């Protein structure tokens, strides 16, 4: 009994410490945003652009079909339940409020977050982070800051694209199988959507971007001097990101809609 | 005037080494220190300690008399910048070309991408036969070429202290004379050098101080 209680206690303390470490790491990166150092801006700007290109632009061929398929599938199922009544409202409820940010975050975790954890872990194991430090450059400013800004921006952009494309996909299905015209469909959506929906979507995308980047960078930076620690850190980073995103999703929904 | 002073350093062992037990070490301008250790891991650990890449909770590091505050890693960066670190674990950033690696500090501190490598760097690249490989990534270079590129980068950053680990491994046999010349130039300009080498001629030519690490105990002897 004592052993079990001890185990649970140790695990709880470890998890609590991990969460505090993540917050501390997050604070260190955010502090740099407000420091507004003049040196290295061109270098950081370039990494931000590369990150946005890699996370958002290169992900478009993946996210567009996923959004189209999901949007149309949802409409098919919900039009049966609601008998074509309030389809626009259903779209708003499901896609803009919940699925849009969630699926976008999931795709970013699968595609970009894991690669960040691998990249930083690799840099740690092969002493590239030491090299950056020996050049007098802060690795947090050069590696973490541009990735945080780049990925968060990319997630917000992808979220908007996902919403638009899935609504378009949904309307395509409606156009094929029903007699509802675009004006009615958009009218229904216009009535259903409230400014809070847009704000919530953006807040979720922003929070997901921060959580995903910070968790993956933290895991990457924590790889010890052994390459075998890299796959473990990557899988932990991916699972953790997904879990934290789900929790944040619930918390934000409760805060705004309850 | 001591350029650097390390005291109260105790470092845990790495690899097959014994670690370093509480030691004091001072380095002045013109010192050329050769490290002789019973374990290469301890010698390497000492170089990392001098480069501020390893430190302990209660250690005391003074650079030009000024005590270094280890509580924030950004405090160390201006000092690290002043050190040439040519060791086995020195690396190139793999997602940048060799040219970008050589220019990284200038890109960052001059805040511009319009800078290009200067003549001195070009000459060294020519000497070590990496000039035509400046636009490839480090992964595309042979190990010797990669080490030469690392050496060019570190020598040309005008260091105030040079840390060298087995310089004989950093270029082909035929090019080793150029490294000797570079180190000679550094020593003549008063830049202190701490090095590990198994080349007897190199040790004889440069060493004026011997750092002996035996079973984790560090002592310094003048030669």
């Amino acid at each position: 009994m004592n052993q079990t209680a001890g185990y649970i206690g140790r695990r709880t303390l470890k998890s609590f410490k991990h969460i505090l470490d993540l917050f501390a790491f997050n604070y260190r990166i955010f502090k740099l945003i407000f420091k507004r150092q003049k040196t290295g801006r061109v270098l950081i700007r370039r990494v931000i652009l590369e990150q946005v290109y890699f996370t958002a632009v290169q992900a478009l061929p993946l996210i567009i079909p996923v959004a189209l398929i999901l949007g149309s599938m949802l409409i098919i199922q919900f039009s049966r339940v609601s008998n074509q009544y309030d389809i626009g409202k259903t779209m708003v409820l499901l896609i803009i409020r919940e699925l849009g940010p969630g699926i976008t975050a999931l795709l970013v975790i699968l595609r970009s977050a894991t690669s960040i954890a691998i990249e930083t872990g690799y840099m740690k194991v092969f002493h590239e982070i030491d090299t950056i430090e020996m050049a007098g450059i802060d690795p947090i400013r050069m590696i973490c800051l541009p990735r945080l800004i780049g990925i968060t921006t990319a997630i917000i952009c992808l979220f908007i694209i996902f919403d638009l494309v899935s609504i378009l996909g949904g309307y395509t299905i409606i156009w094929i199988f029903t007699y509802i015209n675009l004006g009615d469909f958009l009218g229904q959506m216009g009535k259903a959507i409230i400014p809070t929906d847009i704000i919530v979507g953006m807040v979720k995308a922003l929070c997901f971007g921060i959580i995903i980047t910070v968790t993956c960078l933290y895991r990457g930076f924590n790889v010890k001097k052994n390459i075998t620690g890299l796959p473990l850190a990557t899988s932990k980073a991916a699972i953790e990101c997904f879990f934290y995103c789900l929790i944040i999703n619930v918390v934000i929904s409760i805060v705004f809609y309850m | 005037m001591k350029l650097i002073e390390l005291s109260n350093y105790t470092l845990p062992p790495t690899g097959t080494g014994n670690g370093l037990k509480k030691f004091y070490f001072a380095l002045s301008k013109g010192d050329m220190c050769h490290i002789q250790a019973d374990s290469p891991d301890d010698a390497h650990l000492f170089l990392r300690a001098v480069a501020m890449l390893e430190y302990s909770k209660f250690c005391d590091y003074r650079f030009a008399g000024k005590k270094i505050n280890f509580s924030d890693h950004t405090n160390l960066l201006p000092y690290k910048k002043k050190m040439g670190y040519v060791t086995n674990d020195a690396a190139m950033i793999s997602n940048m070309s060799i040219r970008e690696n050589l220019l990284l500090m200038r890109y960052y501190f001059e805040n511009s991408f319009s800078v290009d490598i200067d003549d001195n760097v070009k000459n060294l690249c020519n000497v070590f036969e990496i000039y035509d490989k400046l636009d490839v990534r480090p992964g595309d270079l042979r190990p010797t070429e990669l080490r030469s590129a690392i050496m060019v980068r570190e020598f040309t950053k005008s260091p105030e202290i040079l840390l060298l680990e087995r310089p004989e491994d950093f270029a082909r046999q035929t090019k080793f004379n150029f490294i000797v010349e570079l180190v000679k130039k550094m020593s003549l300009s008063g830049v202190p050098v701490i090095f590990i080498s198994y080349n007897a001629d190199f040790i004889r030519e440069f060493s004026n101080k011997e750092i002996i690490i035996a079973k984790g105990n560090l002592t310094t002897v003048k030669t």
Side-chain angles (χ1 to χ4, degrees):
Chain A
M1 182 66 187
N2 278 349
Q3 270 186 336
T4 315
Y7 175 77
I8 294 168
R10 278 192 300 276
R11 293 289 301 177
T12 311
L13 285 175
K14 205 177 163 189
S15 306
F16 192 64
K17 184 188 171 291
H18 177 64
I19 301 286
L20 285 180
D21 282 349
L22 280 178
F23 273 107
F25 191 56
N26 201 0
Y27 170 72
R28 267 168 96 167
I29 305 173
F30 265 88
K31 213 168 72 176
L32 291 171
I33 298 177
F34 300 106
K35 237 181 177 178
R36 298 185 61 79
Q37 265 181 323
K38 286 213 169 79
T39 50
R41 281 191 181 182
V42 288
L43 205 60
I44 286 160
R45 210 175 296 142
R46 190 176 80 171
V47 184
I48 291 174
L49 287 175
E50 281 173 355
Q51 202 59 57
V52 171
Y53 178 75
F54 174 68
T55 311
V57 181
Q58 286 191 331
L60 287 178
L62 180 72
I63 208 150
I64 290 174
V66 169
L68 274 171
I69 292 165
L70 262 172
S72 48
M73 291 304 288
L74 283 171
I75 285 297
I76 289 171
Q77 295 301 330
F78 279 91
S79 62
R80 284 180 175 195
V81 176
S82 66
N83 213 7
Q84 294 174 23
Y85 178 75
D86 270 354
I87 278 178
K89 198 172 182 179
T90 312
M91 290 294 280
V92 170
L93 280 172
L94 277 169
I95 291 169
I96 297 177
R97 286 187 187 176
E98 299 298 332
L99 278 177
I103 300 285
T104 309
L106 186 63
L107 289 176
V108 170
I109 291 169
L110 292 173
R111 245 192 113 260
S112 309
T114 46
S115 65
I116 291 179
I118 292 169
E119 190 187 12
T120 41
Y122 179 94
M123 289 180 90
K124 180 79 190 294
V125 171
F126 291 103
H127 303 286
E128 290 182 20
I129 289 171
D130 288 348
T131 301
I132 294 171
E133 284 191 8
M134 290 310 290
I137 301 169
D138 182 2
I140 296 192
R141 185 165 143 80
M142 195 181 145
I143 298 169
C144 305
L145 182 65
R147 278 164 183 79
L148 179 74
I149 297 172
I151 289 189
T152 309
T153 312
I155 289 187
I156 292 172
C157 297
L158 285 177
F159 159 69
I160 294 167
I161 292 165
F162 184 93
D163 283 0
L164 292 175
V165 173
S166 51
I167 287 166
L168 188 78
Y171 177 70
T172 312
I173 291 296
I174 288 169
W175 181 69
I176 294 168
F177 293 106
T178 71
Y179 298 105
I180 299 173
N181 63 33
L182 181 64
D184 289 345
F185 177 69
L186 291 178
Q188 275 186 23
M189 279 195 62
K191 276 181 198 163
I193 204 160
I194 52 171
T196 316
D197 294 324
I198 310 283
I199 295 166
V200 167
M202 291 293 174
V203 170
K204 279 184 182 175
L206 184 76
C207 291
F208 291 170
I210 294 167
I211 287 167
I212 290 170
T213 320
V214 171
T215 309
C216 291
L217 285 168
Y218 178 81
R219 283 287 175 195
F221 266 85
N222 265 307
V223 175
K224 302 290 174 223
K225 292 162 188 171
N226 202 337
I227 194 79
T228 48
L230 201 51
L232 196 68
T234 311
S235 85
K236 272 185 183 172
I239 298 290
E240 251 178 61
C241 286
F242 185 58
F243 181 66
Y244 294 149
C245 285
L246 285 179
I247 291 175
I248 288 289
N249 197 18
V250 172
V251 171
I252 294 175
S253 292
I254 289 171
V255 169
F256 281 91
Y257 296 115
M258 295 289 273
Chain B
M1 172 78 175
K2 307 256 188 307
L3 188 61
I4 58 167
E5 261 183 301
L6 286 79
S7 51
N8 282 331
Y9 261 76
T10 305
L11 295 169
T14 55
T16 55
N18 303 300
L20 293 171
K21 291 172 192 160
K22 200 171 176 179
F23 70 86
Y24 170 83
F25 174 75
L27 186 76
S28 305
K29 282 206 166 185
D31 280 351
M32 303 291 283
C33 306
H34 168 238
I35 307 173
Q36 202 186 342
D38 50 4
S39 161
D41 286 327
D42 289 344
H44 179 72
L45 184 65
F46 176 68
L47 284 183
R48 286 181 65 84
V50 175
M52 299 178 195
L53 292 169
E54 300 283 345
Y55 45 85
S56 58
K57 208 173 178 183
F58 303 106
C59 64
D60 187 4
Y61 194 124
R62 285 172 194 277
F63 196 105
K66 198 180 170 200
K67 195 178 173 188
I68 308 291
N69 179 5
F70 283 101
S71 64
D72 184 353
H73 74 284
T74 52
N75 295 337
L76 315 179
L77 299 174
Y79 304 102
K80 285 184 176 179
K81 198 175 129 185
K82 293 175 183 174
M83 293 186 199
Y85 187 69
V86 189
T87 64
N88 286 340
D89 62 0
M92 284 267 169
I93 296 160
S94 48
N95 59 5
M96 285 180 171
S97 69
I98 299 296
R99 186 187 298 276
E100 287 170 332
N101 267 285
L102 294 176
L103 287 167
L104 180 67
M105 281 178 79
R106 291 188 62 197
Y107 283 161
Y108 191 84
F109 292 105
E110 292 177 29
N111 205 19
S112 165
F113 280 129
S114 53
V115 291
D116 200 7
I117 51 175
D118 56 33
D119 291 340
N120 182 28
V121 181
K122 270 183 197 166
N123 287 339
L124 283 175
C125 290
N126 268 325
V127 165
F128 292 105
E129 294 170 4
I130 52 167
Y131 189 73
D132 54 340
K133 298 194 172 166
L134 284 179
D135 294 311
V136 299
R137 297 274 171 103
D140 298 327
L141 259 65
R142 284 197 289 267
T144 330
E145 291 170 334
L146 189 63
R147 287 197 204 116
S148 300
I150 290 168
M151 202 183 51
V152 171
R153 182 190 66 200
E154 296 299 311
F155 272 85
T156 51
K157 79 182 203 189
S158 311
E160 287 181 24
I161 297 169
L162 184 64
L163 306 170
L164 271 176
E165 185 173 12
R166 300 185 63 152
E168 54 272 24
D169 290 349
F170 275 82
R172 271 187 266 157
Q173 200 69 35
T174 48
K175 305 282 177 190
F176 185 60
N177 280 346
F178 291 107
I179 300 180
V180 174
E181 284 304 312
L182 286 170
V183 177
K184 205 179 273 177
K185 254 188 211 171
M186 290 255 172
S187 71
L188 286 174
S189 59
V191 174
V193 182
I194 303 176
F195 65 93
I196 303 167
S197 177
Y198 296 105
N199 184 314
D201 293 335
F202 189 85
I203 298 169
R204 207 176 306 120
E205 181 157 5
F206 292 111
S207 171
N208 62 18
K209 220 174 183 185
E210 196 83 19
I211 298 166
I212 299 159
I213 305 171
K215 290 183 179 165
N217 296 305
L218 187 143
T219 43
T220 314
V221 183
K222 275 228 172 217
T223 53

